[in-house]
Amino acid sequence: MKVTGAATPFLPLCQRLFPTRLAGLSVALLKATALEIAILAGHLLLYPSGITQERRATPSLPSPDDAAKLPTEDKPPVVLLHGFIDNRSVFLLLRRNLAQHGRQHIESLNYSPLTCDIRTAAELLGRHIEEICERTGHERVDIVGHSLGGLIARYYVQCLGGDTHVRTLVTLGTPHSGTRVAPLMNAHPIVRQMRPGSAVIDELTGPAPGCRTQFVSFWSDLDHLMDPLETACVDHPDLLTQNVRVSGVGHLALPVHPAVATGIRQALDIEASGARGAARVGGLTVA
């Protein structure tokens, strides 16, 4: 008698309970899961500090802390946009990292947790971007969007003419083609908009001739919220895109991990060039 044969009847149940991509447990997956749990715990502690909108910064005299920042030319403002049921506190470490490397204008925007429409959130984002450009004197900004935040920013850029104000859009674990994860959450209208085949996703697959924004999408091979995993890549013939595969971290770690932050800084420093629609593929391995 083979003991291993006794497990056969339970395989269908296991396949229903766990995604196929999680079937082969590995050290990398265990490390990533532990990191996700630690990040979630820390984020729950920080969450109350990010509920309100941040105060808009006003020009001030250099502080002693400026000595620790690397000298650099004046670059476009960076706008950070959080994901679903989240707030600006998720970008605490990334914001600090960008500031230490010379980004002088960084703003984190909150959208309401009661937001039920990506289009409405994108229109509100557009008004914020125009206000930031007017206040800082810059014609264009860079955006870093995590998860749903990246989808809102992409809709603004691609469907509302936001490419006139957005130079580079970096997305982190954003379901560009829709995600099938957590079907029980379909009761929420904005979750339904993030499903494959939704009206919003269909709009984003439509023509976007002459779009001037450069897209850089970071996607993780251990992202449990992206189903399929490749949905976090931008695949559009009219867009200038770069898809960066991140190995070794999960969904929550993308806006937090220092190695990803380094990749984000490099992406923001890339000038849009080359043939439009020629996708470049890169990789980032996190130990």
Side-chain angles (χ1 to χ4, degrees):
M1 182 179 68
K2 293 183 179 180
V3 177
T4 54
T8 302
F10 297 97
L11 287 178
L13 176 61
C14 293
Q15 290 171 350
R16 288 197 298 269
L17 292 177
F18 301 99
T20 303
R21 64 176 181 268
L22 298 185
L25 291 178
S26 65
V27 174
L29 177 59
L30 293 175
K31 287 183 178 180
T33 302
L35 180 60
E36 291 282 280
I37 294 174
I39 291 173
L40 177 60
H43 189 39
L44 289 176
L45 293 175
L46 291 173
Y47 190 92
S49 67
I51 292 177
T52 60
Q53 289 282 11
E54 71 176 5
R55 296 179 180 178
R56 298 295 173 244
T58 55
S60 59
L61 294 175
S63 66
D65 292 338
D66 290 335
K69 298 177 182 178
L70 300 180
T72 184
E73 69 276 10
D74 190 23
K75 298 180 179 179
V78 178
V79 179
L80 307 176
L81 198 60
H82 63 80
F84 182 57
I85 315 180
D86 209 339
N87 62 37
R88 60 186 176 86
S89 63
V90 71
F91 290 118
L92 176 65
L93 297 180
L94 177 59
R95 182 185 184 120
R96 183 180 302 170
N97 189 297
L98 293 173
Q100 289 176 342
H101 287 82
R103 288 285 174 164
Q104 300 176 6
H105 305 285
I106 307 170
E107 301 201 10
S108 302
L109 300 182
N110 276 355
Y111 53 87
S112 171
L114 302 179
T115 299
C116 292
D117 184 55
I118 288 176
R119 302 177 186 90
T120 302
E123 292 175 358
L124 180 61
L125 172 63
R127 291 196 289 270
H128 280 301
I129 297 299
E130 291 175 1
E131 187 273 332
I132 290 172
C133 289
E134 181 178 358
R135 172 160 42 85
T136 63
H138 286 268
E139 294 183 357
R140 308 182 81 189
V141 304
D142 294 331
I143 299 179
V144 179
H146 180 225
S147 197
L148 173 61
L151 205 59
I152 292 172
R154 180 179 173 185
Y155 192 92
Y156 164 63
V157 165
Q158 191 175 327
C159 301
L160 301 180
D163 61 315
T164 60
H165 292 301
V166 180
R167 187 190 68 155
T168 301
L169 169 57
V170 176
T171 64
L172 311 172
T174 291
H176 290 286
S177 302
T179 178
R180 296 188 296 262
V181 78
L184 295 180
M185 294 188 67
N186 281 347
H188 198 294
I190 210 164
V191 172
R192 294 197 298 271
Q193 290 184 333
M194 290 190 287
R195 296 305 190 196
S198 73
V200 168
I201 298 299
D202 286 346
E203 284 185 68
L204 294 176
T205 62
C211 183
R212 287 169 283 183
T213 299
Q214 174 177 262
F215 293 81
V216 183
S217 59
F218 288 79
W219 66 284
S220 171
D221 55 6
L222 296 177
D223 192 333
H224 59 284
L225 294 184
M226 297 298 107
D227 183 15
L229 289 173
E230 293 76 10
T231 190
C233 298
V234 179
D235 183 13
H236 196 292
D238 294 334
L239 303 179
L240 183 63
T241 65
Q242 179 183 13
N243 295 309
V244 182
R245 174 174 176 168
V246 181
S247 300
V249 301
H251 188 79
L252 296 179
L254 286 170
V256 175
H257 202 284
V260 179
T262 299
I264 293 172
R265 293 201 319 269
Q266 294 172 348
L268 294 178
D269 288 338
I270 296 174
E271 293 293 336
S273 61
R276 188 169 301 277
R280 289 168 293 163
V281 181
L284 176 63
T285 300
V286 176

